[in-house]
Amino acid sequence: MRNIIVIISLAIFVCGCQPAELTPEKKQKVELLQAEISKIENDITTGEKNLFVGTGLIPTLQSARLEVDRLTVSLLRQQVAAIESGAAITISVPSGGIDVSAVAALESEIKEANITLHKTRAESSLYSGGAIKAMIDARASMEELTLSSLKQKLLSAKYGLFLPAITNSTEKKEQANASQPTKPAIEPVKPQVEQPQIEDPGPFDFRHVRWGMSPSEVKDREKATFVGDKNGTLLYTDSINGQKISLVFLFVDGKLWRGAYLLSDEFTNKNRYVDVYFTWVDSLKKKYGKPKAENTVWSKNLYKNDISNRGMAYAVGDVESQAEWETGDTSIFSKIDGNNFNISVGVYYSSKLLESSFRNKEKEREQSTF
């Protein structure tokens, strides 16, 4: 078992003695540490400006992240002070020096965490407010906290920072009764921050639920306005970008297999339906990228070249548009069509695995009628 023992001893001279001139290697290390400090302090300044006011999950997560960053800065400053004061710093490590594989693993984790955070922030930008955006922002705050902790671990691995372990109250009592090891001369800044825990932060397949969940599980998680339960289908009302929508959850054998947003707003100018649809499609493209398939099909050409009546073209069924994306087990399908002067606009999220079960059930139901 590889052990890394960090022993820090300080010798402070008060009789007018001057610290020895730093070697080029130590000067370079100080410069690197100062650069890290400056970078994290900029992050702290930005975080303080964007700090949510009030109480709740998001401000708690943001404050915890700032405390982690402040602790990291303090540890880095202590390292700089120790070097500049001429203190004797002895770091006993395996013959190979710094664990390169551990550093590489942390750098890889940080890269993935940055990608995840970027996607979450992009997802949040699709909403102007409401429960969905609040949930996504909470996830982003948790990801920021995780990222700060990973960066702290990376700096510890690279520069030999002393990071005390976080212990619960039981562990602290046990440690108090046990023999205590000699403490290092430089104590880390306290208090040590424990990361707050949130229940099931995701990821999710649709809103904040997963495919296969039961109706009761969906009801417990969904915060939109509940309308009713119709033949095993859960109905809610909500809004997206200011438009009223019906939110639908469908189940097969008691398992969630589809969720849908259906535009419920009504417009006198039928072109508004078309505007809403393509605004939704643009948002989906920003989130999921280029569609797997996208097309607009005209069955009649009466309004094909009449831009002012494009809404009417959809209302009478002369044209329909659709787009499709795939991610993991989820297929996403958007569509606008119409009939008898009524236009339907919707986005459908489905489990590819459970959709096949639904289709088989439908076939069995059709066959049973003969």
Side-chain angles (χ1 to χ4, degrees), residues 132 135 204-209 222 224 238 247 249 261:
I132 302 177
M135 179 187 65
F204 305 110
D205 296 314
F206 176 68
R207 291 174 73 86
H208 46 289
V209 297
E222 183 50 59
D238 205 345
L247 173 61
F249 296 90
Y261 298 114

Side-chain angles (χ1 to χ4, degrees), residues 258 277 281 284-285 288-295 321-327 330-335 346-350 352 355:
R258 168 170 282 183
Y277 171 76
V281 169
L284 290 166
K285 287 179 179 178
Y288 300 107
K290 183 179 179 180
K292 176 184 176 182
E294 182 178 16
N295 57 63
S321 299
Q322 58 189 38
E324 183 179 357
W325 296 261
E326 283 188 359
T327 172
T330 303
S331 62
I332 303 156
F333 181 75
S334 66
K335 186 175 183 180
V347 179
Y348 308 84
Y349 293 71
S350 307
K352 290 184 281 188
E355 184 172 8

Side-chain angles (χ1 to χ4, degrees), residues 73-314:
V73 168
S74 295
L75 295 172
L76 290 171
R77 282 176 175 165
Q78 287 176 355
Q79 191 82 338
V80 170
I83 296 172
E84 292 182 337
S85 67
I89 302 176
T90 303
I91 302 177
S92 177
V93 296
S95 58
I98 294 176
D99 190 344
V100 178
S101 62
V103 171
L106 285 166
E107 288 176 340
S108 178
E109 281 191 70
I110 288 172
K111 181 179 179 181
E112 291 298 321
N114 269 312
I115 293 173
T116 300
L117 178 59
H118 178 75
K119 290 181 178 179
T120 302
R121 286 173 174 168
E123 183 180 358
S124 175
S125 68
L126 300 178
Y127 301 91
S128 58
I132 302 177
K133 181 174 176 61
M135 179 187 65
I136 297 171
D137 287 343
R139 180 169 16 121
S141 297
M142 188 64 189
E143 290 167 358
E144 289 173 348
L145 176 57
T146 300
L147 189 58
S148 289
S149 297
L150 288 172
K151 289 178 178 178
Q152 188 184 77
K153 290 180 181 179
L154 176 62
L155 292 172
S156 174
K158 290 174 68 175
Y159 300 112
L161 304 182
F162 177 78
L163 293 177
I166 301 174
T167 57
N168 58 36
S169 57
T170 302
E171 291 173 333
K172 289 177 181 178
K173 289 178 181 178
E174 293 175 352
Q175 292 174 357
N177 296 328
S179 59
Q180 298 295 320
T182 303
K183 293 183 179 180
I186 296 181
E187 293 278 353
V189 176
K190 296 181 180 181
Q192 176 67 38
V193 179
E194 294 193 38
Q195 296 185 9
Q197 300 295 316
I198 60 175
E199 184 178 352
D200 195 1
F204 305 110
D205 296 314
F206 176 68
R207 291 174 73 86
H208 46 289
V209 297
R210 298 185 183 87
W211 305 132
M213 283 187 169
S214 66
S216 61
E217 288 177 304
V218 174
K219 285 182 179 179
D220 288 340
R221 290 164 173 261
E222 183 50 59
K223 303 304 180 185
T225 302
F226 181 68
V227 175
D229 184 340
K230 184 177 181 181
N231 298 326
T233 298
L234 301 182
L235 304 175
Y236 293 81
T237 59
D238 205 345
S239 62
I240 296 179
N241 295 334
Q243 278 82 48
K244 296 178 182 178
I245 59 108
S246 294
L247 173 61
V248 185
F249 296 90
L250 293 92
F251 301 82
V252 57
D253 294 332
K255 298 178 180 180
L256 177 67
W257 76 274
R258 168 170 282 183
Y261 298 114
L262 306 177
L263 181 66
S264 58
D265 255 344
E266 296 183 359
F267 306 112
T268 302
N269 184 349
K270 297 190 181 300
N271 289 341
R272 288 288 305 282
Y273 292 94
V274 185
D275 293 336
V276 169
Y277 171 76
F278 284 104
T279 297
W280 286 9
V281 169
D282 286 341
S283 295
L284 290 166
K285 287 179 179 178
K286 290 177 182 177
K287 183 175 181 180
Y288 300 107
K290 183 179 179 180
K292 176 184 176 182
E294 182 178 16
N295 57 63
T296 295
V297 179
W298 290 83
S299 58
K300 295 180 182 179
N301 296 329
L302 178 62
Y303 298 107
K304 189 171 184 178
N305 298 315
D306 187 354
I307 299 298
S308 63
N309 279 311
R310 56 181 181 157
M312 182 61 69
Y314 283 94

